[in-house]
C-alpha cells in the first residue's frame, strides 16, 4: 500500500506541476485531442459561455479552436465580441441602464498564452495575448453626465472583480474602428497598424495604453 500510495502521489504531483508550469501546452494537447474526436462545436459553445460570463459581454468564435504550437499559444479564429443594451444593469423600473460605451467587434485571429499560476494569484488565466485583424464599431452616443454631480474618479473606478484580466503582453495588428464619440457628432475612425503593450489591465486601460512600448496608427486621419 505504501508503494501504491507513493506512485499515486508522484503521478498526481507531477501532473499538477506540469499543469502549473506548462498550462498552455496542457490545454493545447487537450484541445487537440478533443478536436480529433470531433468535439469542436461543443468546445466552442462551452468556452464562449464561460468567457461571456467572466467578461460580462457576448463572446463567440467559430469551432476551429486550434493549438498554435509554433508560437506556444492557443488560437481562436473569427472572434465576435458584442456589448449592447442587453448587457446594462437592471434598474428599479425594470429597464436597463444604457449609460455606457457599447461596441461590436470582429477579430480575425486571437492567440493567447495561459498561466495557472496567474489565475491562482487572481490576475486572470491569460498571460499574453496577440490580436490581428480587428474591425467594428464603438458607440458612445448614449453616454451622458449629470452636470450637477461632481465627478470623482476614485468613486467611478470599478472595484476588482474575478475575471478581470491583467496581461503581461498585448500585441495588436491591423485594427480599424468606427467610433461615434457623442450625440450629434460625426463618426471618426481609429486605426492601429501595430501596437505593443508590456502590460494591459482591465481597470487601467488608458494608463497602460499611455505606457505602451509603441503604438503606430491614425486617429481621425491624423
Amino acid at each position: 500500500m505504501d508503494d501504491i500510495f507513493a506512485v499515486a502521489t508522484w503521478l498526481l504531483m507531477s501532473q499538477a506541476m506540469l499543469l502549473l508550469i506548462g498550462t498552455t501546452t496542457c490545454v493545447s494537447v487537450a484541445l487537440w485531442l478533443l478536436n480529433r474526436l470531433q468535439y469542436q462545436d461543443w468546445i466552442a459553445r462551452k468556452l464562449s459561455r464561460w468567457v461571456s460570463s467572466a467578461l460580462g459581454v457576448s463572446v463567440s468564435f467559430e469551432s476551429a479552436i486550434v493549438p498554435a504550437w509554433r508560437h506556444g499559444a492557443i488560437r481562436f479564429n473569427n472572434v465576435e465580441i458584442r456589448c449592447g443594451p442587453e448587457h446594462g444593469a437592471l434598474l428599479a423600473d425594470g429597464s436597463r441602464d444604457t449609460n455606457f460605451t457599447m461596441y461590436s467587434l470582429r477579430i480575425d485571429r486571437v492567440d493567447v498564452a495561459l498561466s495557472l499560476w496567474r489565475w491562482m494569484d487572481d490576475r486572470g488565466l491569460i498571460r499574453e495575448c496577440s490580436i490581428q485583424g480587428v474591425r467594428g464599431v464603438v458607440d458612445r452616443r448614449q453616454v451622458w453626465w449629470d452636470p450637477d454631480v461632481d465627478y470623482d474618479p476614485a468613486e467611478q473606478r470599478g472595484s476588482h472583480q474575478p475575471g478581470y484580466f491583467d496581461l503581461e503582453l498585448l500585441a495588436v495588428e491591423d485594427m480599424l474602428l468606427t467610433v461615434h464619440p457623442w450625440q450629434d457628432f460625426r463618426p471618426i475612425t481609429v486605426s492601429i497598424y501595430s501596437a505593443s503593450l508590456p502590460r494591459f489591465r482591465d481597470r487601467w486601460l488608458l494608463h497602460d495604453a499611455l505606457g505602451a512600448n509603441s503604438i503606430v496608427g491614425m486617429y481621425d486621419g491624423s
Side-chain angles (χ1 to χ4, degrees), residues 21 28 45 49 59 61-62 68-69 73-74 96 99 111 127 135-136 142 148 156 167 169 171 174 202-203 207 222:
I21 297 173
S28 297
R45 289 195 303 271
R49 292 173 184 171
V59 180
F61 34 80
E62 69 176 22
W69 304 105
I74 299 171
R96 288 191 177 273
N99 188 22
D111 292 344
R127 185 181 78 250
R135 298 293 184 272
Q142 68 287 335
D148 297 328
Q156 294 295 324
L167 306 180
L169 175 65
D174 185 23
D202 192 289
R203 300 178 62 236
H207 178 276
S222 300

Side-chain angles (χ1 to χ4, degrees), residues 86-98:
E86 65 275 14
H87 298 101
L90 281 174
L91 301 177
D93 59 0
S95 62
R96 288 191 177 273
D97 179 20
T98 59

Side-chain angles (χ1 to χ4, degrees), residues 30-41 43 63-67:
L31 288 174
W32 180 80
L33 290 173
L34 291 172
N35 284 340
R36 298 289 292 180
L37 295 173
Q38 305 300 318
Y39 280 103
Q40 298 98 323
D41 294 336
I43 299 173
S63 58
I65 307 168
V66 295

Side-chain angles (χ1 to χ4, degrees), residues 2 9 11 14 34 37-38 40 44 47 49 52 62-63 66 106 116 130 144 149 176 179 182 186 190 211:
D2 289 342
T9 303
L11 289 174
S14 62
L34 291 172
L37 295 173
Q38 305 300 318
Q40 298 98 323
L47 204 53
R49 292 173 184 171
S52 299
E62 69 176 22
S63 58
V66 295
R106 181 174 180 85
L116 194 58
S130 176
W144 60 275
V149 177
L176 177 61
V179 180
W182 54 78
R186 61 178 176 82
V190 178

Side-chain angles (χ1 to χ4, degrees), residues 2-219:
D2 289 342
D3 293 340
I4 294 174
F5 182 75
V7 172
T9 303
W10 177 80
L11 289 174
L12 181 62
M13 293 301 297
S14 62
Q15 295 301 314
M17 290 301 299
L18 179 62
L19 185 59
L20 288 172
I21 297 173
T23 306
T24 304
T25 302
C26 294
V27 175
S28 297
V29 172
L31 288 174
W32 180 80
L33 290 173
L34 291 172
N35 284 340
R36 298 289 292 180
L37 295 173
Q38 305 300 318
Y39 280 103
Q40 298 98 323
D41 294 336
W42 181 82
I43 299 173
R45 289 195 303 271
K46 291 294 185 181
L47 204 53
S48 295
R49 292 173 184 171
W50 178 73
V51 174
S52 299
S53 176
L55 297 180
V57 297
S58 298
V59 180
S60 63
F61 34 80
E62 69 176 22
S63 58
I65 307 168
V66 295
W69 304 105
R70 184 185 304 176
H71 304 284
I74 299 171
R75 176 165 297 173
F76 302 90
N77 295 318
N78 299 329
V79 181
E80 294 185 0
I81 305 175
R82 172 178 166 75
C83 179
E86 65 275 14
H87 298 101
L90 281 174
L91 301 177
D93 59 0
S95 62
R96 288 191 177 273
D97 179 20
T98 59
N99 188 22
F100 60 92
T101 301
M102 302 181 187
Y103 49 87
S104 178
L105 307 176
R106 181 174 180 85
I107 308 173
D108 291 339
R109 191 183 75 192
V110 178
D111 292 344
V112 297
L114 309 179
S115 172
L116 194 58
W117 283 113
R118 293 173 55 81
W119 179 77
M120 295 174 64
D121 197 29
D122 198 24
R123 291 188 294 166
L125 185 62
I126 301 176
R127 185 181 78 250
E128 299 178 0
C129 181
S130 176
I131 302 173
Q132 185 173 10
V134 184
R135 298 293 184 272
V137 177
V138 178
D139 192 353
R140 290 179 52 82
R141 288 174 292 185
Q142 68 287 335
V143 177
W144 60 275
W145 291 266
D146 188 346
D148 297 328
V149 177
D150 293 332
Y151 178 74
D152 184 359
E155 185 178 305
Q156 294 295 324
R157 181 172 301 282
S159 59
H160 178 76
Q161 300 289 337
Y164 279 5
F165 54 82
D166 182 353
L167 306 180
E168 292 181 357
L169 175 65
L170 174 65
V172 181
E173 292 184 12
D174 185 23
M175 184 179 79
L176 177 61
L177 301 177
T178 300
V179 180
H180 298 276
W182 54 78
Q183 191 70 33
D184 301 325
F185 192 86
R186 61 178 176 82
I188 62 177
T189 57
V190 178
S191 60
I192 294 179
Y193 307 138
S194 64
S196 175
L197 285 73
R199 193 175 187 186
F200 196 61
R201 293 166 291 180
D202 192 289
R203 300 178 62 236
W204 302 93
L205 300 181
L206 180 59
H207 178 276
D208 291 341
L210 292 174
N213 293 329
S214 67
I215 298 180
V216 181
M218 297 182 70
Y219 182 87

